[in-house]
PDB file of all heavy atoms in Angstrom:
ATOM      1  N   ILE P 384     104.545  77.906  60.738  1.00  0.00           N
ATOM      2  CA  ILE P 384     103.496  78.207  59.749  1.00  0.00           C
ATOM      3  C   ILE P 384     103.858  77.633  58.383  1.00  0.00           C
ATOM      4  O   ILE P 384     103.012  77.085  57.669  1.00  0.00           O
ATOM      5  CB  ILE P 384     103.277  79.739  59.669  1.00  0.00           C
ATOM      6  CG1 ILE P 384     102.657  80.251  60.978  1.00  0.00           C
ATOM      7  CG2 ILE P 384     102.393  80.103  58.483  1.00  0.00           C
ATOM      8  CD1 ILE P 384     102.550  81.762  61.063  1.00  0.00           C
ATOM      9  N   GLU P 392      96.370  72.006  51.858  1.00  0.00           N
ATOM     10  CA  GLU P 392      96.059  71.631  50.478  1.00  0.00           C
ATOM     11  C   GLU P 392      95.135  70.404  50.442  1.00  0.00           C
ATOM     12  O   GLU P 392      95.234  69.512  51.286  1.00  0.00           O
ATOM     13  CB  GLU P 392      97.354  71.334  49.720  1.00  0.00           C
ATOM     14  CG  GLU P 392      98.298  72.540  49.635  1.00  0.00           C
ATOM     15  CD  GLU P 392      99.611  72.178  48.993  1.00  0.00           C
ATOM     16  OE1 GLU P 392      99.771  70.994  48.614  1.00  0.00           O
ATOM     17  OE2 GLU P 392     100.472  73.076  48.875  1.00  0.00           O
ATOM     18  N   THR P 420      99.775  88.305  68.222  1.00  0.00           N
ATOM     19  CA  THR P 420      99.592  88.588  69.642  1.00  0.00           C
ATOM     20  C   THR P 420     100.933  88.713  70.361  1.00  0.00           C
ATOM     21  O   THR P 420     101.152  89.632  71.154  1.00  0.00           O
ATOM     22  CB  THR P 420      98.755  87.479  70.304  1.00  0.00           C
ATOM     23  OG1 THR P 420      97.479  87.405  69.669  1.00  0.00           O
ATOM     24  CG2 THR P 420      98.561  87.765  71.790  1.00  0.00           C
ATOM     25  N   TYR P 425     105.063  92.004  72.788  1.00  0.00           N
ATOM     26  CA  TYR P 425     106.480  92.356  72.917  1.00  0.00           C
ATOM     27  C   TYR P 425     106.683  93.863  72.739  1.00  0.00           C
ATOM     28  O   TYR P 425     107.457  94.490  73.475  1.00  0.00           O
ATOM     29  CB  TYR P 425     107.296  91.586  71.887  1.00  0.00           C
ATOM     30  CG  TYR P 425     108.756  91.952  71.867  1.00  0.00           C
ATOM     31  CD1 TYR P 425     109.604  91.614  72.916  1.00  0.00           C
ATOM     32  CD2 TYR P 425     109.299  92.645  70.780  1.00  0.00           C
ATOM     33  CE1 TYR P 425     110.936  91.955  72.901  1.00  0.00           C
ATOM     34  CE2 TYR P 425     110.643  92.986  70.754  1.00  0.00           C
ATOM     35  CZ  TYR P 425     111.458  92.635  71.814  1.00  0.00           C
ATOM     36  OH  TYR P 425     112.787  92.982  71.789  1.00  0.00           O
ATOM     37  N   CYS P 429     108.209  96.318  75.596  1.00  0.00           N
ATOM     38  CA  CYS P 429     109.380  97.174  75.368  1.00  0.00           C
ATOM     39  C   CYS P 429     109.071  98.626  75.725  1.00  0.00           C
ATOM     40  O   CYS P 429     109.894  99.322  76.328  1.00  0.00           O
ATOM     41  CB  CYS P 429     109.836  97.076  73.912  1.00  0.00           C
ATOM     42  SG  CYS P 429     110.593  95.500  73.482  1.00  0.00           S
ATOM     43  N   ALA P 434     109.958 103.068  79.540  1.00  0.00           N
ATOM     44  CA  ALA P 434     109.457 104.137  80.406  1.00  0.00           C
ATOM     45  C   ALA P 434     109.838 103.894  81.862  1.00  0.00           C
ATOM     46  O   ALA P 434     110.255 104.812  82.572  1.00  0.00           O
ATOM     47  CB  ALA P 434     107.941 104.239  80.272  1.00  0.00           C
ATOM     48  N   LYS P 451     127.274  96.422  83.824  1.00  0.00           N
ATOM     49  CA  LYS P 451     127.936  95.478  82.917  1.00  0.00           C
ATOM     50  C   LYS P 451     128.348  94.212  83.657  1.00  0.00           C
ATOM     51  O   LYS P 451     128.140  93.089  83.174  1.00  0.00           O
ATOM     52  CB  LYS P 451     129.160  96.135  82.283  1.00  0.00           C
ATOM     53  CG  LYS P 451     129.864  95.233  81.254  1.00  0.00           C
ATOM     54  CD  LYS P 451     131.085  95.911  80.663  1.00  0.00           C
ATOM     55  CE  LYS P 451     131.699  95.014  79.570  1.00  0.00           C
ATOM     56  NZ  LYS P 451     132.080  93.693  80.094  1.00  0.00           N
ATOM     57  N   ALA P 472     105.168  93.168  89.167  1.00  0.00           N
ATOM     58  CA  ALA P 472     105.473  92.496  87.900  1.00  0.00           C
ATOM     59  C   ALA P 472     105.473  90.979  88.068  1.00  0.00           C
ATOM     60  O   ALA P 472     105.030  90.242  87.183  1.00  0.00           O
ATOM     61  CB  ALA P 472     106.817  92.969  87.365  1.00  0.00           C
ATOM     62  N   THR P 502     115.023  82.563 113.009  1.00  0.00           N
ATOM     63  CA  THR P 502     114.517  83.571 112.070  1.00  0.00           C
ATOM     64  C   THR P 502     115.026  84.938 112.499  1.00  0.00           C
ATOM     65  O   THR P 502     114.714  85.405 113.595  1.00  0.00           O
ATOM     66  CB  THR P 502     112.978  83.563 112.039  1.00  0.00           C
ATOM     67  OG1 THR P 502     112.522  82.251 111.669  1.00  0.00           O
ATOM     68  CG2 THR P 502     112.463  84.560 111.019  1.00  0.00           C
ATOM     69  N   HIS P 623     121.410  95.133  91.467  1.00  0.00           N
ATOM     70  CA  HIS P 623     120.320  95.573  90.595  1.00  0.00           C
ATOM     71  C   HIS P 623     119.718  96.878  91.109  1.00  0.00           C
ATOM     72  O   HIS P 623     119.478  97.809  90.341  1.00  0.00           O
ATOM     73  CB  HIS P 623     119.246  94.495  90.522  1.00  0.00           C
ATOM     74  CG  HIS P 623     118.077  94.858  89.657  1.00  0.00           C
ATOM     75  ND1 HIS P 623     118.058  94.672  88.298  1.00  0.00           N
ATOM     76  CD2 HIS P 623     116.883  95.434  89.969  1.00  0.00           C
ATOM     77  CE1 HIS P 623     116.915  95.109  87.808  1.00  0.00           C
ATOM     78  NE2 HIS P 623     116.180  95.569  88.795  1.00  0.00           N
ATOM     79  N   GLU P 673     118.994  98.760 116.349  1.00  0.00           N
ATOM     80  CA  GLU P 673     119.872  97.659 116.677  1.00  0.00           C
ATOM     81  C   GLU P 673     121.288  97.893 116.145  1.00  0.00           C
ATOM     82  O   GLU P 673     122.188  97.147 116.447  1.00  0.00           O
ATOM     83  CB  GLU P 673     119.331  96.362 116.076  1.00  0.00           C
ATOM     84  CG  GLU P 673     118.132  95.808 116.811  1.00  0.00           C
ATOM     85  CD  GLU P 673     118.514  95.227 118.164  1.00  0.00           C
ATOM     86  OE1 GLU P 673     119.643  94.692 118.291  1.00  0.00           O
ATOM     87  OE2 GLU P 673     117.720  95.345 119.086  1.00  0.00           O
ATOM     88  N   ILE P 676     124.683  99.679 109.489  1.00  0.00           N
ATOM     89  CA  ILE P 676     125.906  99.657 108.699  1.00  0.00           C
ATOM     90  C   ILE P 676     125.556 100.269 107.349  1.00  0.00           C
ATOM     91  O   ILE P 676     124.609  99.839 106.713  1.00  0.00           O
ATOM     92  CB  ILE P 676     126.463  98.238 108.520  1.00  0.00           C
ATOM     93  CG1 ILE P 676     127.044  97.743 109.847  1.00  0.00           C
ATOM     94  CG2 ILE P 676     127.525  98.200 107.439  1.00  0.00           C
ATOM     95  CD1 ILE P 676     127.752  96.416 109.751  1.00  0.00           C
TER      96      ILE P 676
END
Side-chain angles (χ1 to χ4, degrees):
I384 292 173
E392 299 175 0
T420 300
Y425 176 70
C429 289
K451 183 181 184 302
T502 302
H623 180 85
E673 285 288 327
I676 288 186

